[in-house]
Amino acid sequence: AGWSAEMTHDLVQLVKTQTALADPQDVPLLSEVKRAFKRAGVPRLGAREAAVLLMQEYLSPRTLPKSEDSTHLGKEFLRMVQSGSMLEARQLLATRPSLLNARSTSKGFTAMHFAAMAGAAPMLDWLMAQGLAPDSRSSPTDGSDALTPLQVAAQYKRE
């Protein structure tokens, strides 16, 4: 299917001028977009509808639910570690292994730092078994010094 720069531009402009593309009242717009796709040489209805959906997502991106938002899940994992919620932390990590690399926003604390802050020795052992280094340094963005989990434990008077 040949897409000329002019056809692409016209189609994008058509979609940009619309609001609330997901509303049922936008059937005339969808029909017009589909006609534009036909003129551009996209023959199948499914391909045209998929392209329209992609444009809708681009022009009106949806907010991820908290259950899919990696930033939220990272914070949740760190909270679980700090509170010593071993079962919940294990379950979450089993479904999202990348959360093992979660860090706090300003101090750049890892899960090891949060477990040390809480003095949660079993959690520290489990995190080390998962591959986190006990001497990892924080990565602060607030100008404070980088700390190891041991230094954090000392600050919070944990043994």
Side-chain angles (χ1 to χ4, degrees), residues 9-25:
H9 177 267
D10 291 348
L11 191 54
V12 169
Q13 292 308 311
L14 172 67
V15 175
K16 277 186 176 179
T17 62
Q18 305 303 312
T19 58
L21 291 175
D23 291 344
Q25 300 90 330

Side-chain angles (χ1 to χ4, degrees), residues 11-154:
L11 191 54
V12 169
Q13 292 308 311
L14 172 67
V15 175
K16 277 186 176 179
T17 62
Q18 305 303 312
T19 58
L21 291 175
D23 291 344
Q25 300 90 330
D26 290 328
V27 172
L29 169 67
L30 187 56
S31 296
E32 193 172 339
V33 169
K34 287 178 183 177
R35 280 193 298 278
F37 275 113
K38 278 185 181 177
R39 286 192 305 271
V42 180
R44 289 187 353 192
L45 184 65
R48 293 191 305 264
E49 288 176 340
V52 169
L53 286 174
L54 287 173
M55 283 189 282
Q56 289 173 343
E57 287 176 21
Y58 172 76
L59 295 171
S60 304
R62 68 176 181 92
T63 304
L64 287 176
K66 287 185 176 184
S67 63
E68 295 177 27
D69 180 6
S70 61
T71 302
H72 171 76
L73 290 174
K75 289 178 182 178
E76 188 67 15
F77 177 69
L78 295 175
R79 185 198 59 72
M80 289 173 185
V81 167
Q82 186 176 14
S83 68
S85 301
M86 181 78 76
L87 180 62
E88 291 88 351
R90 282 181 177 209
Q91 289 173 338
L92 185 55
L93 193 61
T95 61
R96 301 282 183 136
S98 64
L99 293 178
L100 194 59
N101 300 314
R103 288 187 177 260
S104 64
T105 310
S106 63
K107 298 285 185 188
F109 285 170
T110 66
M112 290 294 286
H113 291 88
F114 280 94
M117 186 186 304
M123 186 67 78
L124 286 165
D125 291 339
W126 177 72
L127 290 169
M128 284 189 286
Q130 301 309 305
L132 283 184
D135 59 349
S136 61
R137 292 195 160 279
S138 62
S139 53
T141 59
D142 63 359
S144 59
D145 294 332
L147 301 171
T148 65
L150 183 61
Q151 291 170 315
V152 170

